[in-house]
Amino acid sequence: MSAAVSTQAPTRPPRLNGLRLSDLRLSAVLAPLAVGVAFLGSWQLTVDGLGIDPYIVPAPSAIWDQLAAARSNIVDGMVVTGRNALLGMLLGGLVGVLGAVVSSMVKVVDQMAVPVVAALSVVPIVALAPVLYTMFGAAVDTGRIVVAALAVSIPVYLNTLRGLRQVSGVHRELMAAYAATPTQVVRTVTLPTATPYVFTGLRIASSLAVISALIAEYFGGPVGGLGKAITSAAASSNYPLAWAYVTGSIVLGLAFYVVTLLVELWFARHAPRT
């Protein structure tokens, strides 16, 4: 028996369609990188070959030079905008989840919230940001945080409410048979069922938080942040620098999305099974 075991072929990594899973993961990384390199190369060749002026679109090499020269200012702007977006995301996520829970428990609140949510979802940031600066003052970031929170709360509320409504009637009847209180039902049945929907809303809202905080910086408030830096660089006709700040905002938005996705994966792995 031992001899038979010793002569068995070594265990190999699982394959899918003839490829190792490690190869699939590697290709998943290399493919976007190859597309990105090809896109940047085509961009550079097009700008150089056609002689396109920087105010229309600068070459990637010029943007890279500005990224290297102004990296400290770009990082400082990312910190300011990222802090406002993070606070807005936390505040808006909390409001969205709590509002969805209340709406799922009280039918009257659910019916009253429909027109309010519809109205808030179409409020233009261009009009809202100056009003908030007047209310809270232009020397603080409160208006930017509120704008980001508003943008976050809508998708989180809608997705969470949808998840809360996915609870099976059998489970509700079982909790009623156990004489569970509404709070116990929400904690043990409703929220675990809605958790995937909550994270879907947060992933959508993660990018919206950065975009909203960035746009709110265009219309006043303290000096600092990527939005102010972009407008200042464009006003001084330093278009490669403006694009360098835009690149920083893209990196910031991707970072928010990736971190939210990692938190979701960690929670899905460590959450207790129901």
Side-chain angles (χ1 to χ4, degrees), residues 11 26 85 103 117 212 217 232 257 262 273:
T11 303
L26 183 61
S103 296
V117 172
S212 301
E217 294 171 354
S232 298
Y257 182 86
L262 292 176
R273 302 296 180 180

Side-chain angles (χ1 to χ4, degrees), residues 13-27:
R15 291 173 175 262
L16 182 61
N17 294 332
L19 293 175
R20 290 189 178 90
L21 294 182
S22 59
D23 295 335
L24 291 176
R25 289 194 294 268
L26 183 61
S27 64

Side-chain angles (χ1 to χ4, degrees), residues 35-267:
V35 173
V37 171
F39 173 76
L40 292 176
S42 301
W43 182 356
Q44 181 73 40
L45 293 175
T46 301
V47 172
D48 293 340
L50 300 179
I52 299 177
D53 294 327
Y55 70 88
I56 298 177
V57 56
S61 58
I63 298 174
W64 176 259
D65 292 339
Q66 292 297 328
L67 277 170
R71 59 183 179 275
S72 60
N73 293 333
I74 295 175
V75 171
D76 292 341
M78 292 173 65
V79 170
V80 174
T81 303
R83 181 181 65 245
N84 294 333
L86 178 60
L87 293 176
M89 185 174 177
L90 294 176
L91 178 61
L94 180 62
V95 171
V97 171
L98 292 179
V101 171
V102 174
S103 296
S104 67
M105 297 174 62
V106 183
K107 186 176 181 180
V108 175
V109 175
D110 184 19
Q111 295 175 344
M112 294 173 59
V114 172
V116 175
V117 172
L120 292 177
S121 63
V122 297
V123 172
I125 299 176
V126 176
L128 182 62
V131 174
L132 294 176
Y133 289 141
T134 303
M135 293 174 56
F136 299 105
V140 295
D141 288 323
T142 306
R144 300 171 179 175
I145 296 173
V146 172
V147 168
L150 178 61
V152 168
S153 63
I154 302 303
V156 173
Y157 172 86
L158 294 176
N159 281 275
T160 303
L161 186 59
R162 181 183 179 186
L164 294 173
R165 290 171 173 169
Q166 300 300 314
V167 179
S168 173
V170 175
H171 294 161
R172 295 185 184 275
E173 294 174 0
L174 178 62
M175 298 303 292
Y178 284 133
T181 63
T183 303
Q184 291 174 330
V185 174
V186 170
R187 187 180 68 252
T188 59
V189 176
T190 312
L191 280 181
T193 303
T195 297
Y197 295 87
V198 174
F199 278 110
T200 299
L202 289 175
R203 277 192 280 113
I204 297 172
S206 60
S207 300
L208 291 177
V210 176
I211 295 172
S212 301
L214 188 71
I215 295 176
E217 294 171 354
Y218 292 165
F219 305 101
V223 177
L226 294 173
K228 281 287 188 182
I230 293 172
T231 55
S232 298
S236 61
S237 299
N238 193 345
Y239 299 104
L241 180 59
W243 277 81
Y245 283 113
V246 170
T247 304
S249 65
I250 294 173
V251 172
L252 182 63
L254 290 175
F256 265 66
Y257 182 86
V258 170
V259 170
T260 305
L261 179 60
L262 292 176
V263 172
E264 179 183 2
L265 294 176
W266 180 90
F267 188 87

